[in-house]
Every structure is written in C-alpha cells, then in structure tokens.
Amino acid sequence: MPGARVANAAMPLVIAGGDILDRSGRRRADVVVRDGRIETIETPSEPDAAARVIDATGCVVTSGFVDLFARLGEPGNEEAETIATGSAAAALGGFTAVVAQPDTEPPLDRSGELAELRRNAAAARCHIVPAATISAERAGTRLSPMAELADAGVAWFTDVGPLGDAGLLRRALQYVGPLGGTVSVRPSTSDLGGDAAMAEGAVSARMGVAGEPSASEELAAATAIGVARLTRGRLHLDRISAARTVELVRAAKADGLNITASVTAEHLFFIDADADTYDPLMRAEPPYRTAADREALVAGVVDRTIDAVVSGHSPVPPQAKDLPFDEAPPGIAALETCAALVLGHPDISLDAALDALAWRPAELARAMHLGGAAVAPDSPANLVVLDLDRPWTLRERGSASMARNTPHRDRPMSAMVRATVLEGREVVADGELCPAAENGIRP
C-alpha cells in the first residue's frame, strides 16, 4: 500500500475546515495540534505556512475510535495476525486504541506476559490496551492475580467467552470491583449448544446444521446479571446477539446495576438466513439470529442500551476457512470495516454511531486519553477525520491485516477514514497508511 506524507514531530498539524463533532455538539473549526496534544480550536483561517495541513473540508473530525474486542494474534497465532499488521488495520479503520484480548498462547494472566505485550506493542499504529484473563491459565477454575495485574494498569478482565462457573464470576466481580476494573463475559451456555455454528431455528433446520437456541445466551446473561446484582460489580456482556438479552440489559440498567454490553457490527446487518449458502466466512461468534433479533440490537445501539459496537476482530490463517461451514472456525477479520459499517447503517444516527464506536467504549476501557475524549484544547491528539460520502471497497483499497476471513471484501462502503492521528502524528493520511518510521507510540 503506498505511503503518504508524514509530519515532522516538531511541525504543527492543522486539521482545517472540518466539522468537529463530540458530545458537546457540532461546530466548524480548525484543530491545531502540536507536541501530541490539541493546542487550539480556531475559527477556520489560513493555516501557518510551516504547518502540515489536513484538508477536512466536508468531513467530520472526532476523537479516535476505541475497540473493546480485538484479537491481535501475538503470541501464538502470528500466522494469522501480528500486532504490527493488526494495529495497522485498526488505524485504517479509525481506531486509535484497541483492547487486545488475552486468549493468546500463553494467555495473558500474569505480569510477565503483560510486560511482553507492551514491549511488542511499542511501535504499533494504535494504542494497545491489554486485557487480562479472569481465571489463571484461562482454565476457568481459579482467579488470575487480578490485584497484581490491576496494579500494572489492567482494567479489563475476560476469559474471552462464556464463564460457566457462577461462583468464579462472583469472586471475580467482588475482587475486581474495588480495583476499578470490569469483568467481561460472552453469555452462552455450553449445555445448550454454545459452540454451534448456527442459531437454532428454521434456517438451521433447513440447512441440517446444529443450532444454538437464543435461550443459551439469555439464560447465561440472566445468571451473570444476577451475580452482578449480588456483588454490585462492574459486568460487561460481550458481543450479545439476542433480543431478549437486550431486554435484560435494559432492565438491569433501569435497576441501577453497573451492567454494560456490546455487539459486533456484523450482528447489526446479518441474520441467520444470510448464512444459508454454507459460506464459512459467514460463521460468526456468536451466530447470527433472526431479523427480530437484529432489529432489537439496532434499537439497543440507538437508545444506548448497548454501549459499544466492537470489531470482534478474529483473524485466522487462510486455510482455516477452507473447511465445511460447521467445521470452520467462527469469526471475522473486521478492524478495517467495523466503523464504516456502523457509520453507513441506515437506522443508526451519526451521534449514536460515534457514541458506540468512540465515546462510550473509551469510558468503559478507562482509555479516554487514548481515544473517545472531547475535541478540546490540551486533550491528547488521538483523532479521526471521516468522509461520510466517499465510497470504497476493501478489495479496491487493499487490506493491512494478514487475515482474509471477511465477507465484506466487495461490499460498497459509504464512509471512509480519511485520516487517523495518533498522539499528534498521522498514521493514516488520504485513506492510506503512512510510513511507520515516525509512528512509534508506546501504550
């Protein structure tokens, strides 16, 4: 992919003529960046001749996106993705920070692995926010050293899937609450087909593929919410997919519980019938459900019951998808397309999309300094410039990710990330990756 011009670190950067949009509202102004921070917000004028200028005319300027779920390959799955390629894909997708999932090999369950991740992420093209496992060795039997990990800066704990032991979940919520952390689980019940390739229903029956009933997710979500009610801990329900789960989250929030939830961009578009071609690229985690479920998920994003839209980025080697539908691993390589799908969704407003992609997930990850913050003087310059009317396809632009497991390669997108600015440096310019030499950012 061709490189684009990069500003010298001492040179001011001016994002000129765009519409700034954050929670305070929308206004047209120039953003002047110096030494990694926003220096001033000015009335549009003739920029300093010495400045590097991003022409944002007709574009939206907002804080960088924050992804609460991305698998980045290292360590253990480097044949599918590395931190270098995954973070480049994230930058192209407008993410200035991603929460790296700890289901690596070995899993991130102690300070040694955490230090290694940070060393490997030192030159990433986005900020890497480490998550750690709930259980030691991700075995689901005893807690990881949460206090030690929290002292080292970890605020997000997850085993990256179901946590079937309610007692362990209770201990985790009790333990991590005073540490200021969040426990994240994907609600699913193994006894009810939690590993099935499809959602149970008429489509799975017609295909002859075993399905997971929505009750699998609903029962697990209800149990987890019940444990959170008991402990008053911070619980995140990761990548929900069922209408009833949205109702449970809405009711829990109305009761004042500290419950949050996320959904993948794909679950706002696809339903089970979209997988009836047996295309392995359409095997998702969790499986796609009915049109009514999709409608409820969209409504949950719009009314903020669902706090975040995540990429759910799950890269696999190309040969891994060369299997029958029900044998292929689930998941999509989604960092480059996630935001574009949400921003182009016909039923989701721009404010709701940015709330779910940037503002709210940054709060949940305790990463407002890395993305999602107000576009205001003295804020860190982690920003994205969006052209909401610039069509593109992944195939035409090319992909930075090593993974090719996406059903979106030829999907027309209507929103492009024109520029991504990381601590004052352009990592994406004119829709293309900048040279990496000047972009070594330590998380």
Side-chain angles (χ1 to χ4, degrees):
M1 193 175 291
R5 182 179 157 200
V6 181
N8 183 280
M11 183 187 299
L13 174 69
V14 179
I15 305 174
D19 283 356
I20 299 172
L21 181 57
D22 58 19
R23 282 177 166 169
S24 68
R26 187 165 182 162
R27 66 272 191 203
R28 182 159 297 173
D30 292 351
V31 181
V32 180
V33 173
R34 192 187 300 270
D35 296 327
R37 305 188 77 83
I38 297 174
E39 185 174 70
T40 58
I41 305 293
E42 302 178 346
T43 302
S45 61
E46 190 67 30
D48 183 339
R52 161 71 175 136
V53 178
I54 299 175
D55 182 2
T57 304
C59 296
V60 169
V61 181
T62 190
S63 51
F65 305 147
V66 176
D67 186 11
L68 295 179
F69 187 107
R71 291 176 166 116
L72 296 180
E74 290 185 59
N77 196 29
E78 289 88 347
E79 72 276 17
E81 195 76 282
T82 65
I83 290 173
T85 59
S87 67
L92 283 169
F95 293 101
T96 55
V98 300
V99 177
Q101 298 303 290
D103 58 336
T104 48
E105 207 45 65
L108 200 160
D109 66 348
R110 54 189 73 234
S111 56
E113 281 83 5
L114 177 61
E116 180 67 18
L117 173 65
R118 286 178 166 152
R119 282 192 293 271
N120 292 340
R125 294 178 190 251
C126 70
H127 297 286
I128 307 300
V129 180
T133 62
I134 297 168
S135 64
E137 299 178 351
R138 203 167 153 256
T141 55
R142 58 187 175 88
L143 293 180
S144 64
M146 287 180 160
E148 175 186 332
L149 291 160
D151 284 346
V154 174
W156 200 262
F157 294 87
T158 177
D159 274 6
V160 202
L163 193 68
D165 186 336
L168 186 67
L169 177 60
R170 178 183 184 179
R171 292 193 295 277
L173 287 167
Q174 288 173 326
Y175 199 77
V176 83
L179 302 175
T182 297
V183 173
S184 173
V185 298
R186 184 173 77 79
S188 182
T189 308
S190 59
D191 292 343
L192 291 177
D195 295 326
M198 287 286 293
E200 184 177 284
V203 176
S204 66
R206 184 173 71 245
M207 293 173 64
V209 175
E212 178 199 36
S214 60
S216 170
E217 177 175 297
E218 296 157 12
L219 289 170
T223 298
I225 290 170
V227 175
R229 188 185 302 275
L230 178 67
T231 63
R232 313 306 290 188
R234 294 181 179 88
L235 173 70
H236 181 78
L237 296 180
D238 172 42
R239 293 169 294 154
I240 64 174
S241 65
R244 176 60 180 152
T245 310
V246 180
E247 295 175 13
L248 291 169
V249 173
R250 187 175 287 121
K253 289 187 171 189
D255 286 348
L257 300 185
N258 203 339
I259 306 293
T260 57
S262 62
V263 65
T264 77
E266 280 70 32
H267 284 81
L268 303 175
F269 280 87
F270 294 134
I271 61 174
D272 54 359
D274 293 316
D276 69 0
T277 60
Y278 298 91
D279 183 351
L281 294 176
M282 293 300 296
R283 182 167 179 193
E285 179 192 12
Y288 304 123
R289 300 194 185 277
T290 67
D293 290 302
R294 178 181 60 186
E295 182 179 339
L297 293 168
V298 172
V301 171
V302 170
D303 72 8
R304 276 54 167 192
T305 297
I306 295 175
D307 300 84
V309 177
V310 298
S311 74
H313 185 70
S314 297
V316 299
Q319 66 273 16
K321 286 287 189 179
D322 294 337
L323 292 169
F325 176 81
D326 56 350
E327 297 177 20
I332 289 173
L335 279 167
E336 294 175 67
T337 56
C338 172
L341 288 172
V342 181
L343 292 164
H345 198 291
D347 300 317
I348 298 176
S349 70
L350 180 57
D351 273 6
L354 295 179
D355 211 9
L357 289 167
W359 307 333
R360 186 68 176 128
E363 291 173 340
L364 298 184
R366 290 169 48 189
M368 294 291 288
H369 59 301
L370 306 181
V375 183
D378 204 38
S379 292
N382 295 302
L383 303 165
V384 64
V385 179
L386 305 171
D387 189 335
L388 300 177
D389 296 307
R390 184 169 173 179
W392 63 283
T393 69
L394 190 61
R395 185 182 298 279
E396 290 170 351
R397 191 193 65 186
S399 176
S401 173
M402 290 169 59
R404 295 295 180 264
N405 54 307
T406 171
H408 301 305
R409 191 156 298 280
D410 295 305
R411 177 183 288 274
M413 305 284 181
S414 59
M416 175 181 275
V417 173
R418 280 273 304 279
T420 303
V421 176
L422 188 71
E423 290 193 349
R425 293 183 173 92
E426 289 178 271
V427 288
V428 172
D430 299 322
E432 298 178 346
L433 285 172
C434 296
E438 297 187 31
N439 294 325
I441 306 296
R442 290 189 178 275

